[in-house]
Amino acid sequence: MRAAVYTQYGGPEVVSIGEVEKPVPKENEVLVKIFATSVNSGDVRIRALNVPRGFGFIVRLAMGITAPRNPILGMELAGEVEVIGKDVTKFKVGDRVFAAPEFRCHAEYRAIKQDDAIAHIPDGLSFEQAAAISFGGATALHYLRDNGKVKAGDEVLIVGASGAAGLASIQIAKIHGAKVTAVCSKPNHELVKSLGAENVIDYKQEDFTKNGKKYDLIVDCIGTAAWGMSKASLADKGHLLVMAGDLWGVFQGLFVSRKNGKKVTTGVASANAEMLQTLAGLVSDKKFNPIIDKTLTLDEIVEAHRYVDSGRKKGSVIITIGQNEASDNH
């Protein structure tokens, strides 16, 4: 099968299209024919080993010291079940599904355990739209719902609000009844307002740490609002949620959460089946909208990596695999 592969760490040019072995599903797995996937911030960080400070060696140990052990990136997909293992009961051949496995989604096929992060695509949603749900949506649920315990009336500040995780965080916060202030560049103000942000801060014109306002939750989607600069902007018992924190931030989180009424949470967000089912329900109820910035083909994946590297993307950059099928909304 065709796949986007990389055999060394580096810039977008290390990614190329090659032929790899098609996976064979195990007894409890489904084989998904992929029609859409995404290139997100996690993909480009791993590709370039541009990870938060302190995590470089840890990531090399996990991914490969001198070269990547797994040559295929991609953290979310949408497609159709082509084969099921003999023990599979939750899916059938022909089901339209979206999933968030760990890597190997930039390919024509992916085998996934039926109990892992996989769910049925809501009716009326295209494969491209479905492929834009998981990464940002599950990350927002992990931090805001599960760790931040966001609730009605909370004042929530979202830093880096125009990326996939930021736009999802706005929507998850609003679904829970919070009041949202979004921090992003001016060209993205109308987008974040359209998703429910009551207030918007242009980070080039205003420093949120100096405006005297207090927030119950501060969500740092891009790793620029560390504890030292954000703590004064947290309300009593406020919670800083750092999606891209460095290793020192992890230790700070452990210390601050024990010694201070204010809390810090950071770490890796992992998707699961419940999260995807929740997001599918929210999409069906018109409460959650996956935002797509740009759609490219698998052959254009280097361009996709370059665009994500630029830091200008709004929402998701989608890669289609099989144009005709991927545009079918059913």
Side-chain angles (χ1 to χ4, degrees):
M1 68 173 181
R2 298 178 78 235
V5 299
Y6 77 127
T7 56
Q8 60 180 308
Y9 302 114
E13 65 280 355
V14 303
V15 182
S16 62
I17 305 300
E19 288 288 334
V20 301
E21 187 175 351
K22 180 179 177 180
V24 177
K26 297 177 182 178
E27 295 176 348
N28 63 340
E29 292 181 336
V30 299
L31 180 67
V32 179
K33 181 174 175 59
I34 301 172
F35 293 142
T37 180
S38 73
V39 176
N40 59 50
S41 58
D43 295 314
V44 301
R45 283 180 181 273
I46 295 298
R47 184 212 72 225
L49 275 185
N50 179 22
V51 295
R53 185 178 54 183
F55 283 104
F57 183 67
I58 295 172
V59 172
R60 278 188 182 271
L61 282 176
M63 304 301 296
I65 299 293
T66 59
R69 282 191 292 269
N70 165 37
I72 304 174
L73 295 167
M75 300 178 182
E76 60 186 336
L77 64 83
E80 191 171 282
V81 175
E82 185 170 284
V83 179
I84 63 171
K86 72 179 185 66
D87 294 337
V88 171
T89 58
K90 297 180 180 179
F91 301 93
K92 64 182 185 299
V93 172
D95 280 354
R96 302 169 70 247
V97 296
F98 69 111
E102 290 187 357
F103 303 115
R104 303 198 304 280
C105 295
H106 292 166
E108 292 181 314
Y109 290 91
R110 177 69 155 88
I112 306 167
K113 292 180 181 179
Q114 67 165 346
D115 293 323
D116 282 354
I118 180 172
H120 291 91
I121 295 175
D123 290 341
L125 210 65
S126 70
F127 288 115
E128 292 97 331
Q129 291 169 312
I133 295 174
S134 304
F135 179 74
T139 302
L141 286 176
H142 172 84
Y143 280 100
L144 280 156
R145 183 194 68 176
D146 299 344
N147 285 285
K149 311 298 182 186
V150 63
K151 63 185 182 302
D154 278 350
E155 292 283 351
V156 177
L157 178 82
I158 299 174
V159 182
S162 58
L167 295 177
S169 294
I170 293 171
Q171 296 180 79
I172 294 301
K174 294 305 299 178
I175 287 165
H176 285 82
K179 298 178 181 178
V180 173
T181 297
V183 181
C184 60
S185 61
K186 190 170 183 179
N188 298 321
H189 285 195
E190 291 306 313
L191 173 59
V192 299
K193 287 179 181 178
S194 73
L195 296 176
E198 286 89 354
N199 304 298
V200 186
I201 294 174
D202 180 354
Y203 67 88
K204 294 181 179 179
Q205 300 295 325
E206 179 182 348
D207 183 346
F208 78 85
T209 67
K210 297 178 181 178
N211 64 15
K213 296 181 181 179
K214 304 284 186 179
Y215 303 94
D216 300 294
L217 296 172
I218 296 178
V219 185
D220 179 11
C221 301
I222 52 177
T224 60
W227 168 253
M229 64 179 290
S230 299
K231 60 183 179 181
S233 298
L234 284 171
D236 292 341
K237 298 185 179 180
H239 198 159
L240 173 63
L241 303 162
V242 184
M243 295 181 180
D246 59 23
L247 189 59
W248 173 238
V250 174
F251 291 122
Q252 277 187 313
L254 294 173
F255 177 77
V256 169
S257 296
R258 293 177 180 178
K259 301 293 185 181
N260 193 303
K262 302 173 183 181
K263 297 175 65 176
V264 181
T265 294
T266 188
V268 178
S270 297
N272 57 44
E274 179 276 327
M275 288 177 171
L276 299 198
Q277 290 160 5
T278 295
L279 292 165
L282 293 173
V283 170
S284 295
D285 293 339
K286 309 298 184 186
K287 294 180 179 179
F288 186 89
N289 181 23
I291 305 298
I292 296 173
D293 182 333
K294 183 176 288 192
T295 301
L296 299 167
T297 67
L298 185 63
D299 289 317
E300 297 172 308
I301 198 160
V302 172
E303 180 184 339
H305 274 265
R306 287 199 181 102
Y307 185 61
V308 177
D309 270 349
S310 75
R312 298 194 303 268
K313 80 176 180 72
K314 302 174 287 295
S316 297
V317 173
I318 296 300
I319 301 296
T320 60
I321 306 174
Q323 287 283 356
N324 293 334
E325 297 93 337
S327 62
D328 185 0
N329 292 347
H330 285 262

